[in-house]
Amino acid sequence: MAGDQGIRVDEFTRTRGACCVVHSLVATIPPGGSTGWHRHHAWQTGIVARGRLRHRTADAERFHGPGDVLVERPGVDHEASNVSDEELVLVFVAARPEGVPLSTAAARGPAKLT
């Protein structure tokens, strides 16, 4: 993730399979923090464990709370931010092709949602 606002991502497991590398991670974002605009090169499925997440893409702005699940397709520019007064904790699993980074920074967010 591209943001640098006290965001912590801890990797718990990494497994190499026949098709890909599978990661299980926990991202922690402080109140008001943001990942910055970025894209993933893997399918990701996340569950909000604590806090309130705003997830923006060029086409949508969605809010997720504890217990909500979100699925991100590879290659979609997006930004995630903590819009709660408590630390946001997001548990997620990602499967990426070998040799491909998990995420890269996007040049900038879509003009549609400024």
Side-chain angles (χ1 to χ4, degrees), residues 52-57 59-64:
R52 187 152 171 80
L53 171 74
R54 179 182 69 190
H55 188 269
R56 297 191 304 163
T57 66
D59 300 323
E61 177 178 58
R62 294 187 174 88
F63 293 87
H64 303 277

Side-chain angles (χ1 to χ4, degrees), residues 16-66:
R16 284 186 166 75
C19 70
C20 51
V21 179
V22 179
H23 302 261
S24 63
L25 307 114
V26 174
T28 306
I29 303 174
S34 168
T35 61
W37 286 91
H38 64 285
R39 74 179 59 93
H40 298 287
H41 305 285
W43 281 95
Q44 290 200 156
T45 301
I47 300 171
V48 176
R50 184 172 59 227
R52 187 152 171 80
L53 171 74
R54 179 182 69 190
H55 188 269
R56 297 191 304 163
T57 66
D59 300 323
E61 177 178 58
R62 294 187 174 88
F63 293 87
H64 303 277

Side-chain angles (χ1 to χ4, degrees), residues 77-93:
D77 289 354
H78 64 281
E79 180 261 348
S81 57
N82 181 354
V83 293
S84 67
D85 293 332
E86 63 180 325
E87 189 173 66
L88 171 71
V89 178
L90 178 64
V91 179
F92 60 98
V93 174

